[in-house]
Amino acid sequence: MQSLLASIAETGVMKDPIHTRKKKDGSLHLIAGGHRLETARRRGTEWIDAWVWTGVTDDWARLMEIDDNLAGAEMNALDTAVFLATRKEVYERIHPQAKAATGAALAAKRWSAADTMSVASFAASTAEKFGMTDRHVRRLIEAGAKLGPDEVAKLRAAPRAVTLKDLTEIAKIGPAPERYDVVARLAEGRAKSAADARRALRLEREGEAPVQDPADQQFLALQAAWNRAGAKARTKFVDANGTRLIEMLGLQLGVEMPARQEAAE
């Protein structure tokens, strides 16, 4: 709304009208343009341009609302995933021929020449409409479709913004209980990422205590890097850090080690 207020202050006009739906009882219901409407109210504007749609379905109105949100504002990965998953559900109700066919329906589709003229698949249609790649849309839809409203609410309140990588990891989870645990850890700030949360859960299942202390986490990362490194890389590491390692070993063993320069020699 701050951007809208600044734009109107500079140009003197609100560029786009709001969209409303007129139901059979004559009542008007906002479809798209909530920020525009609130901006007008704050400015004390008495009249605002609006499209008034009649004879439209609930699904049609919902699709317009979703598209207005997807196209009109910068949304985070979580909200985009949820909106896209909802859009897919609504879109396929309006265009059932766009739904992915399986089994006998797929076999029949292969032999239906008329079907080549059907509505494009949702992912392809959405990718083109909003300037995304088809793969990006599919990953977001898969993630958004997996999450229930309660999980979405928890993730929105997480101290760290949920990323597309987190959502992609969540979409891979099979049994719901594991997903609930991963979401809870992210929401409560007990995991930096969905992948970290899954690793901690795996350790618990294997009978090992989850790593909570940052120093322990850093140790595990160092140990893993050392285990992956080849002989040459390990030698270079020791050459670069040998003096410090000797000092640390001396402290640990309670032995007074030579001075740094002598130890290096």
Side-chain angles (χ1 to χ4, degrees):
M1 286 193 301
Q2 294 303 320
S3 297
L4 282 171
L5 286 166
S7 174
I8 295 169
E10 185 175 348
T11 65
V13 297
M14 185 177 293
K15 185 177 65 174
D16 299 316
I18 64 171
H19 291 261
T20 63
R21 178 187 181 191
K22 189 173 186 179
K23 293 194 173 181
K24 290 180 181 179
D25 62 3
S27 61
L28 288 174
H29 299 264
L30 184 69
I31 297 176
H35 287 116
R36 278 162 276 170
L37 185 59
E38 181 59 24
T39 298
R41 284 175 176 153
R42 291 191 182 191
R43 286 177 53 82
T45 304
E46 187 176 358
W47 299 94
I48 186 172
D49 289 336
W51 283 95
V52 180
W53 299 91
T54 60
V56 298
T57 65
D58 290 344
D59 282 342
W60 187 93
R62 181 66 173 139
L63 196 62
M64 174 175 277
E65 177 190 355
I66 292 169
D67 286 359
D68 186 69
N69 278 283
L70 285 170
E74 286 288 331
M75 288 195 295
N76 58 37
L78 176 62
D79 286 334
T80 302
V82 172
F83 268 101
L84 283 175
T86 306
R87 188 180 196 274
K88 178 177 183 290
E89 182 182 338
V90 174
Y91 182 91
E92 289 180 346
R93 282 203 300 267
I94 297 174
H95 305 294
Q97 65 269 47
K99 192 169 184 177
T102 59
L106 180 59
K109 190 173 181 178
R110 288 182 183 138
W111 298 100
S112 173
D115 192 69
T116 59
M117 301 302 291
S118 68
V119 179
S121 73
F122 169 81
S125 169
T126 302
E128 181 179 0
K129 184 178 181 68
F130 297 108
M132 302 178 184
T133 65
D134 185 87
R135 181 169 176 268
H136 191 179
V137 171
R138 290 180 186 276
R139 288 170 67 192
L140 283 167
I141 292 169
E142 186 179 8
K146 281 266 183 127
L147 297 169
D150 57 329
E151 294 171 295
V152 172
K154 287 179 180 178
L155 290 174
R156 282 200 180 112
R160 175 185 167 278
V162 176
T163 65
L164 175 58
K165 191 173 181 179
D166 291 328
L167 292 171
T168 303
E169 189 69 28
I170 291 171
K172 296 176 185 176
I173 301 173
E178 182 184 354
R179 190 178 73 245
Y180 298 151
D181 284 338
V182 169
V183 168
R185 287 168 188 264
L186 289 173
E188 295 163 12
R190 291 187 288 130
K192 291 183 178 180
S193 68
D196 285 344
R198 296 192 75 188
R199 278 192 291 271
L201 285 168
R202 187 168 62 250
L203 286 173
E204 289 179 0
R205 285 195 298 267
E206 293 171 356
E208 299 180 29
V211 178
Q212 298 290 348
D213 186 85
D216 290 340
Q217 293 177 333
Q218 292 165 10
F219 162 73
L220 288 177
L222 283 171
Q223 186 66 60
W226 176 269
N227 292 340
R228 289 194 303 268
K232 288 185 178 179
R234 291 182 181 182
T235 300
K236 285 186 176 182
F237 178 85
V238 172
D239 287 344
N241 298 278
T243 301
R244 180 61 181 148
L245 289 170
I246 290 170
E247 291 177 352
M248 293 174 72
L249 282 170
L251 290 172
Q252 197 171 53
L253 296 172
V255 178
E256 187 177 346
M257 303 301 287
R260 181 180 294 257
Q261 184 60 39
E262 294 172 359
E265 291 173 355

